[in-house]
Amino acid sequence: MTTRRGFLKALLAVASGSYFFSRFPFENNPKQAPKLLSASVIESNEKVLDKPHQSFSVENEPFINALNHIVTPTYDGSGQSVHPSVLDFKTEYGISSWGGFRYWMAFTPYPFFNSALENPCILVSKDGLNWITPPGIKNPLSSKPSGFLKDNYNSDPELVYDPDQDTLILYWREYRGNTFEKIWAKKISTDYKQSDKILCLEKAWDYKKTGLILSPTVWRKSAKEWFMWTTDGRLTIHLYTSLNGINWGPGQPCSAPWASWNGGYIPWHIAAKPNHSEETIEFLIAGWSEQKTMKDCQLIYAAVPMSNPKEFVMPLPRPILGPGTEGRWDDGYIYRSSFVREPGDIPKFRIWYSACSKKKAWHVGYTEGSLVNIPSSTIQA
């Protein structure tokens, strides 16, 4: 629970969060030479938004866009990547490294929107900024489904750690045009051995009536309590439950506060992480205003109580990250992002976000900063 003292400290410090960029592996671009920059001289990309329908006592400052994207090696050689899912074993599990590395990332290449190459891959890192292909893994971990390009492809990876089995579980989505969608899983051991892919969920294509199963994000509460949320491409997020992380029951619709938030937003791609100290699940949602289009995606914060994981709240009055300024690598729109919440009275959010440029190139950038502690009374069942 947030204490009064902790909350006041957070309010006083919300504007003083530090951001660093000098450690990034910058691209060799003479127009954006790496150098130390302070937050005061980096352009803020805050957009003017409609006045929120509700007033909140907690104000949030937007995060600062990464000056350059990080380098993500891809099996196709493009270096373009999307939809990161990052695990920080030290912060999240108290393990200094797993399989020889502190950070693991699932993602897919997506060069210039080429879905044929959008197959699940893994990278590892010791600092969260410099990424390599694991020495014992060959990317991609699953190849493109057979069939025509535009109608058959993989997408939307999610990486989860199971401490009971000491394994990673890589989830991803397969789409077969106007026929079905499937959620697959593959287990990875600490010595890089992989299981065969396992079918977790299948849904007949019926977009007009029941929507899609996009961007699965998974929380493992215990060995026999697993939760998965997906978006339907419209207004609804569905919650699924499982006893083992593999076999999932039917989806149940969640509350949808984004339907009226700032005039209405569409949740598109989502990432969830547990906040045990507040007994909540926090979400970063890539979504866009109903008055606009998918090309206006921003990053939005939401949460659910662990005791009622279908009951979403949106306690902040505006998005936390928007597209970069004209000419930057992320000046198109923000997409699925992953994050780690560092503990403390003023928790630091470390965010790996994917974005495209107006030239249709996809990359992953890194930013960090602080949000004030959200009063627990705003996230109750």
Side-chain angles (χ1 to χ4, degrees):
M1 300 292 288
T2 303
T3 65
R4 180 184 298 272
R5 181 179 180 183
F7 182 57
L8 289 174
K9 286 171 65 179
L11 284 174
L12 291 172
V14 67
S16 64
S18 61
Y19 305 83
F20 66 95
F21 296 92
S22 59
R23 294 173 59 201
F24 282 16
F26 289 92
E27 292 292 281
N28 184 20
N29 185 339
K31 294 182 180 179
Q32 296 183 350
K35 57 183 179 180
L36 284 170
L37 294 174
S38 67
S40 62
V41 299
I42 298 175
E43 295 175 85
S44 173
N45 298 307
E46 177 183 358
K47 289 186 174 182
V48 178
L49 300 175
D50 294 335
K51 185 178 180 180
H53 286 220
Q54 302 179 50
S55 61
F56 297 87
S57 60
V58 179
E59 185 72 4
N60 66 290
E61 295 293 332
F63 281 59
I64 294 176
N65 292 65
L67 181 62
N68 276 309
H69 60 80
I70 61 178
V71 175
T72 51
T74 59
Y75 71 89
D76 65 301
S78 70
Q80 292 192 40
S81 52
V82 74
H83 209 284
S85 176
V86 176
L87 294 178
D88 174 355
F89 276 89
K90 183 176 181 180
T91 299
E92 298 182 76
Y93 298 100
I95 303 171
S96 59
S97 70
W98 188 90
F101 296 90
R102 172 176 170 175
Y103 297 88
W104 287 69
M105 177 198 294
F107 76 103
T108 68
Y110 197 36
F112 303 109
F113 291 76
N114 186 347
S115 295
L117 299 172
E118 196 180 3
N119 301 307
C121 298
I122 296 286
L123 294 178
V124 291
S125 173
K126 294 189 174 182
D127 61 6
L129 299 175
N130 297 280
W131 296 86
I132 62 171
T133 302
I137 288 179
K138 182 179 180 180
N139 286 323
L141 277 72
S142 183
S143 58
K144 177 191 174 300
S146 60
F148 293 109
L149 169 60
K150 69 176 183 178
D151 293 328
N152 302 275
Y153 56 83
N154 293 315
S155 66
D156 302 357
E158 167 79 340
L159 197 59
V160 178
Y161 177 59
D162 181 353
D164 286 318
Q165 298 186 41
D166 194 27
T167 60
L168 292 176
I169 302 179
L170 172 66
Y171 298 92
W172 73 93
R173 170 181 175 262
E174 177 190 349
Y175 165 72
R176 187 172 295 272
N178 299 324
T179 304
F180 63 74
E181 296 170 277
K182 294 181 179 180
I183 303 297
W184 293 95
K186 178 174 279 197
K187 296 184 178 183
I188 306 168
S189 64
T190 188
D191 58 359
Y192 305 119
K193 291 181 180 178
Q194 303 171 33
S195 71
D196 293 333
K197 68 178 187 179
I198 309 164
L199 182 62
C200 296
L201 184 66
E202 182 172 1
K203 178 183 175 298
W205 176 262
D206 188 12
Y207 175 70
K208 290 184 178 180
K209 289 185 178 180
T210 58
L212 307 175
I213 48 171
L214 295 172
S215 193
T217 187
V218 175
W219 170 47
R220 177 198 171 279
K221 183 177 182 180
S222 67
K224 294 186 177 181
E225 294 177 287
W226 297 68
F227 299 84
M228 177 171 65
W229 295 263
T230 67
T231 66
D232 70 350
R234 298 178 293 194
L235 277 174
T236 306
I237 289 178
H238 287 90
L239 173 65
Y240 302 78
T241 59
S242 172
L243 295 175
N244 57 11
I246 298 298
N247 307 110
W248 297 87
Q252 300 294 322
C254 299
S255 68
W258 42 80
S260 58
W261 188 77
N262 282 307
Y265 267 68
I266 304 294
W268 185 235
H269 281 247
I270 55 178
K273 289 290 181 78
N275 176 355
H276 293 288
S277 64
E278 300 292 342
E279 297 185 352
T280 64
I281 307 299
E282 297 179 300
F283 286 76
L284 292 185
I285 300 174
W288 69 90
S289 168
E290 287 193 68
Q291 285 75 44
K292 298 182 180 180
T293 69
M294 185 174 68
K295 293 183 178 181
D296 298 286
C297 258
Q298 300 164 306
L299 203 58
I300 302 163
Y301 174 90
V304 298
M306 289 182 176
S307 59
N308 189 359
K310 294 194 297 183
E311 194 63 30
F312 277 85
V313 297
M314 300 182 68
L316 299 181
R318 56 185 173 182
I320 65 172
L321 188 70
T325 53
E326 188 74 27
R328 292 279 173 84
W329 69 273
D330 57 353
D331 65 355
Y333 58 94
I334 306 296
Y335 202 56
R336 205 268 195 176
S337 305
S338 189
F339 68 101
V340 172
R341 186 190 210 266
E342 299 282 354
D345 285 344
I346 307 170
K348 181 171 69 176
F349 282 77
R350 308 177 62 210
I351 301 175
W352 292 261
Y353 69 97
S354 58
C356 70
S357 68
K358 289 183 178 178
K359 295 181 180 180
K360 298 184 177 181
W362 287 92
H363 292 287
V364 174
Y366 173 84
T367 186
E368 64 177 44
S370 295
L371 289 177
V372 298
N373 283 351
I374 308 303
S376 299
S377 59
T378 68
I379 310 174
Q380 294 294 328

